[in-house]
Amino acid sequence: MEQDSLTLHGDGISATIVGQGAELVSLRDAEGTELLWQAGPAWRRHSPVLFPIVGRLKGDELRHRGRSYPMTQHGFARDRRFGWVEQGDRSCALVLTDDAETRAHYPFAFRLVIGYSLGLRQLEVSFEISNTGDETLPASIGAHPAFNWPLLPGLSKEAYRLTFSEAEPVPIRRLKDGLLLSKPQPTPIEGRTLALSERLFDDDAVILDRPASTSVRYAADQGPAIEMSWQGFRELGIWSKPGGAPFLCIEPWHGLASPVDFDGEFTDKPGVMLIEPGAKGALTYCVRLASQ
């Protein structure tokens, strides 16, 4: 019998996924330490799936062929119940397809399959977007896992840093009222290292719209460390709630919030994937529990 919550067990790692939003809600290491934010009052989510948009659309409206459709920030997938395709000991898969409710907001045919698989101290998450319709499918998708910050209770937040696989000298992007500002800003990353502090998020997320890296390490000098890598995603968001909250989100994206001056059709919006009829888009990210 299908259940709406499933805990997977790998080597030195376990993960719990729920059908609501196909969301990862727990990630533990071999010692049982919870690494994922547990949806406290500061933010009521764990690791939502962002689909079919990332961020906000101007006016919270999706425009297609002259019509406007209501679409709230980050899309609807995170609030929909997915069906289970597979439920195993180490892996599972969930699916969401278009229906009358989705088409009222997003007038396209699609099939979204999200897979979770555990290996040696590693979680792999896969996304497959299929165009089941007869017109080009414009879509964005993003991951939004929130890790505890600090990972080791008792350490200060400032003890943590992000270390990228490559130097990241390119200016970053910022948001205003959820929309992408047109002017890039100097990066706070020094070489490959981003020192973490609450003040970093006073102006919302830090957005790398063309990162050179395909992986990043989140760690202090002691305690658990997380290495996150991605394939198929083009942008990266780093976020914690402005004003302070005990979590850090590391978010591979394929897509961005609407630029403040963009008023066009969704198909023409910067950052969207364009998937032809019968074709698929595939993306993955991995979380590896690393040692110091």
Side-chain angles (χ1 to χ4, degrees):
M1 179 179 176
E2 282 191 356
Q3 53 191 7
D4 201 51
S5 174
L6 180 66
T7 298
L8 307 176
H9 297 278
D11 300 314
I13 189 171
S14 65
T16 301
I17 296 95
V18 296
Q20 182 67 24
E23 188 172 7
L24 176 70
V25 298
S26 176
L27 186 67
R28 294 178 180 267
D29 64 14
E31 290 73 42
T33 302
E34 180 62 69
L35 303 173
L36 204 68
W37 166 246
Q38 289 301 290
W43 190 56
R44 293 293 188 182
R45 300 182 189 268
H46 306 261
S47 180
V49 173
L50 315 182
F51 177 86
I53 64 170
V54 170
R56 282 192 63 197
L57 300 180
K58 195 170 185 178
D60 293 324
E61 290 184 333
L62 183 150
R63 297 183 181 181
H64 181 61
R65 295 186 174 175
R67 290 188 59 184
S68 293
Y69 300 82
M71 178 74 76
T72 53
Q73 177 173 302
H74 292 327
F76 51 73
R78 61 185 184 167
D79 296 317
R80 292 295 306 268
R81 188 170 298 279
F82 283 60
W84 294 92
V85 177
E86 174 200 345
Q87 291 182 322
D89 295 332
R90 287 175 172 257
S91 62
C92 67
L94 305 96
V95 64
L96 180 68
T97 56
D98 62 285
D99 58 21
E101 184 177 340
T102 68
R103 287 190 292 270
H105 302 275
Y106 181 63
F108 302 99
F110 70 89
R111 185 174 190 263
L112 171 61
V113 178
I114 301 175
Y116 292 90
S117 178
L118 293 184
L120 177 61
R121 296 177 61 82
Q122 178 174 291
L123 167 67
E124 180 177 289
V125 185
S126 63
F127 303 86
E128 183 182 85
I129 309 164
S130 299
N131 183 350
T132 57
D134 56 8
E135 66 174 311
T136 299
L137 175 66
S140 286
I141 194 160
H144 202 312
F147 300 105
N148 286 326
W149 182 28
L151 287 169
L152 185 66
L155 287 186
S156 71
K157 287 184 168 185
E158 290 74 18
Y160 285 82
R161 61 193 171 273
L162 294 180
T163 305
F164 293 87
S165 58
E166 307 291 339
E168 297 290 350
V170 174
I172 63 164
R173 308 298 296 273
R174 288 285 198 177
L175 303 170
K176 182 174 177 57
D177 300 325
L179 300 179
L180 194 69
L181 289 169
S182 56
K183 186 178 180 181
Q185 297 189 14
T187 182
I189 303 169
E190 296 184 2
R192 296 169 50 224
T193 303
L194 176 61
L196 294 174
S197 71
E198 289 184 349
R199 297 305 303 270
L200 187 63
F201 305 105
D202 284 353
D203 295 322
D204 211 316
V206 173
I207 299 170
L208 284 68
D209 63 343
R210 39 188 172 139
S213 301
T214 55
S215 68
V216 67
R217 179 184 174 94
Y218 166 46
D221 288 335
Q222 58 180 298
I226 287 171
E227 292 181 358
M228 192 164 175
S229 59
W230 53 90
Q231 290 184 317
F233 294 97
R234 300 196 317 181
E235 295 88 17
L236 185 72
I238 304 160
W239 178 74
S240 189
K241 191 171 182 179
F247 63 81
L248 179 76
C249 296
I250 305 172
E251 310 177 37
W253 298 338
H254 196 302
L256 293 159
S258 289
V260 292
D261 56 355
F262 178 77
D263 289 307
E265 297 235 328
F266 186 63
T267 299
D268 299 323
K269 179 180 169 291
V272 299
M273 305 170 67
L274 298 175
I275 304 171
E276 295 304 311
K280 299 177 181 180
L283 314 90
T284 61
Y285 77 89
C286 292
V287 177
R288 190 171 76 86
L289 309 186
S291 55
Q292 296 294 346

